[in-house]
Amino acid sequence: MGQFNTTDILAMEQRYRAAFINSLGGFKSGVLVGTVSKEGNTNLAIFNSLFHLGANPALCGLIIRPDSVARHTYENILETGSYTINHINEGIYKQAHQTSARYDREVSEFDATGLTLQYEQGVMAPFVKKSHVQFALEFAEKHELQINGTILVIGKIVKVILPDECIGADGFIDIERAGTITVSGLDSYHTTQRLSRLSYAKPGIAITEVS
Amino acid sequence: MGQFNTTDILAMEQRYRAAFINSLGGFKSGVLVGTVSKEGNTNLAIFNSLFHLGANPALCGLIIRPDSVARHTYENILETGSYTINHINEGIYKQAHQTSARYDREVSEFDATGLTLQYEQGVMAPFVKKSHVQFALEFAEKHELQINGTILVIGKIVKVILPDECIGADGFIDIERAGTITVSGLDSYHTTQRLSRLSYAKPGIAITEVS
């Protein structure tokens, strides 16, 4: 087994450390974030930092590094309050990855990558047409994280679009069936294979597989 | 396609909404968080909210609902400053899920689920012996998120333990090879199958698969 302590991590070459530390968090949600500036320039960017924050109110968090290629997304969210989250599937993952290139602000990553825009009533920001699970967020709150200058952006889910046949009787969404893929590290994309769903856990009671 | 707006989400039955909204964020990192109280009581809890926050300094964030079953983990982190993250593999995912049961504080989930403790020099909190990718965090910063009362807990990575053969020449850790699984919704566990790693994206240059 390899063991690494704080000194070892600090001694790593910068890109090596970025790849190493980014891998440690486990499998992540890779999503495309669609936005538009107040001048009407659309933007599309891949993020690996989306996370569930609460169901009532329905909230998601996103970590943004304001000095990175993600700064256009951040500026657009603050300008319009609107952004969309689009799950990535096998058919679009290479185009999704390409959105991480450092395009100028006036270039739309939709055009540059060939991903088609989709507009929905009541949502200013554009969706990605080929994404199978899509939702829109309304900006709610931000926190600057002093420790490294990143921003936690919190949004409220205001619209959800997804295939009816992926919604279970109990509200569970079968994102595997919808073709959603997962990301590890900075650049590795993976399909999934369900082991099982497990029953609600209680002390002293054996859990069972839920069909 | 199903479409749901804010009114539809608010009208959902509570458990249905929890399952639905928890699924939307995509595949997540499911990890076991090991802690110990200042009296020496160990605790183990599954979390789906771990995320990468930065590589230099090496940081991870964790969302904790302080009124939930996760409160013991939170109290222990504040008391000792030490916690461990243990990736979940197919061999332990049912025991991992069982840690979400509401045990009394004096009950150790290690004992209750049969997962064996592992101690490492310089780290107060216990690791999970059967986990293949393990790391220790030192509490660094917390933020109360006013919008729903959850706490963002930020920790600094101080020790990493993982199989040598899973570390690539560029620092990438092959967590799929290490057997790490992923989670969707509240209770669905999945293995993964790599599509590919993709090259660093630049404007106007086609991305390639990295071997």
Side-chain angles (χ1 to χ4, degrees):
Chain A
M1 301 292 277
Q3 287 225 13
F4 304 86
N5 63 22
T6 304
T7 311
D8 301 323
I9 293 168
L10 282 170
M12 288 175 180
E13 185 274 327
Q14 186 189 340
R15 283 167 302 180
Y16 185 99
R17 182 173 51 226
F20 185 88
I21 300 295
N22 265 280
S23 306
L24 280 180
F27 288 102
K28 296 178 277 195
S29 173
V31 295
L32 285 164
V33 179
T35 57
V36 60
S37 71
K38 60 179 189 295
E39 291 84 13
N41 291 321
T42 59
N43 188 282
L44 190 66
I46 190 167
F47 279 82
N48 297 338
S49 64
L50 181 81
F51 58 92
H52 169 81
L53 193 56
N56 189 24
L59 302 171
C60 278
L62 196 63
I63 301 293
I64 300 187
R65 191 173 284 279
D67 59 353
S68 75
V69 64
R71 71 195 179 286
H72 299 155
T73 298
Y74 182 55
E75 290 163 8
N76 291 348
I77 291 173
L78 296 184
E79 281 181 17
T80 68
S82 176
Y83 50 122
T84 69
I85 306 292
N86 306 269
H87 282 206
I88 298 169
N89 53 65
E90 191 171 347
I92 60 171
Y93 82 100
K94 290 183 181 177
Q95 289 158 297
H97 186 75
Q98 182 63 35
T99 65
S100 65
R102 194 173 281 270
Y103 294 103
D104 292 335
R105 188 165 184 190
E106 62 272 20
V107 175
S108 170
E109 291 80 4
F110 283 99
D111 297 335
T113 63
L115 289 167
T116 307
L117 294 144
Q118 174 187 326
Y119 284 103
E120 294 290 336
Q121 202 186 2
V123 178
M124 190 180 297
F127 292 89
V128 176
K129 197 176 170 65
K130 283 194 178 162
S131 170
H132 303 147
V133 178
Q134 310 164 314
F135 56 102
L137 292 165
E138 220 168 69
F139 171 68
E141 196 173 289
K142 68 184 166 81
H143 294 261
E144 185 177 342
L145 308 178
Q146 300 294 338
I147 199 160
N148 68 352
T150 55
I151 314 278
L152 165 58
V153 174
I154 300 173
K156 199 179 152 210
I157 298 172
V158 293
K159 193 181 201 92
V160 181
I161 307 171
L162 76 176
D164 282 317
E165 65 269 24
C166 294
I167 309 172
D170 62 352
F172 173 76
I173 304 168
D174 190 342
I175 60 173
E176 180 171 286
R177 185 171 172 187
T180 298
I181 63 173
T182 181
V183 181
S184 71
L186 292 162
D187 54 21
S188 186
Y189 296 85
H190 309 251
T191 58
T192 64
Q193 179 64 46
R194 174 170 294 114
L195 289 165
S196 61
R197 290 184 65 195
L198 297 179
S199 58
Y200 188 84
K202 290 179 181 175
I205 296 176
I207 50 167
T208 54
E209 300 194 1
V210 176
S211 63
Chain B
M1 300 293 277
Q3 286 224 11
F4 305 86
N5 62 23
T6 304
T7 312
D8 301 323
I9 294 168
L10 282 171
M12 289 175 180
E13 186 273 325
Q14 186 189 338
R15 282 166 302 180
Y16 185 100
R17 181 172 51 228
F20 185 88
I21 299 296
N22 264 281
S23 306
L24 280 179
F27 288 102
K28 297 178 278 196
S29 172
V31 294
L32 285 164
V33 179
T35 56
V36 60
S37 70
K38 62 180 188 296
E39 291 83 13
N41 291 321
T42 58
N43 187 281
L44 190 66
I46 190 167
F47 279 81
N48 298 338
S49 64
L50 181 81
F51 58 92
H52 170 81
L53 193 57
N56 190 24
L59 302 171
C60 278
L62 196 63
I63 302 293
I64 300 187
R65 190 175 284 278
D67 59 352
S68 75
V69 63
R71 71 195 180 285
H72 299 155
T73 298
Y74 182 54
E75 290 163 8
N76 290 347
I77 291 173
L78 296 184
E79 281 181 17
T80 68
S82 175
Y83 50 122
T84 69
I85 306 293
N86 305 269
H87 282 207
I88 298 169
N89 53 64
E90 190 170 347
I92 59 172
Y93 82 101
K94 291 183 179 176
Q95 289 159 297
H97 186 75
Q98 182 63 33
T99 65
S100 63
R102 193 173 283 269
Y103 293 103
D104 292 335
R105 189 166 182 188
E106 62 273 18
V107 175
S108 170
E109 290 80 4
F110 283 99
D111 297 335
T113 63
L115 288 167
T116 306
L117 293 145
Q118 173 188 328
Y119 285 102
E120 293 291 336
Q121 202 184 3
V123 178
M124 191 181 297
F127 292 89
V128 176
K129 196 176 172 65
K130 283 192 179 163
S131 170
H132 304 148
V133 178
Q134 310 164 314
F135 57 102
L137 292 165
E138 220 168 69
F139 171 69
E141 195 172 290
K142 69 185 166 81
H143 294 261
E144 186 177 342
L145 308 179
Q146 300 294 336
I147 198 160
N148 69 352
T150 54
I151 313 278
L152 165 58
V153 174
I154 300 174
K156 198 177 153 212
I157 298 173
V158 293
K159 193 181 201 91
V160 181
I161 307 171
L162 76 175
D164 282 317
E165 64 270 24
C166 294
I167 310 173
D170 63 352
F172 173 77
I173 303 168
D174 190 342
I175 61 173
E176 181 171 284
R177 183 170 174 189
T180 298
I181 63 173
T182 181
V183 181
S184 72
L186 292 162
D187 54 23
S188 186
Y189 296 85
H190 309 250
T191 58
T192 64
Q193 180 65 45
R194 174 169 295 113
L195 289 165
S196 62
R197 290 185 65 195
L198 298 179
S199 58
Y200 188 82
K202 291 179 180 176
I205 297 176
I207 51 167
T208 54
E209 300 194 0
V210 177
S211 63

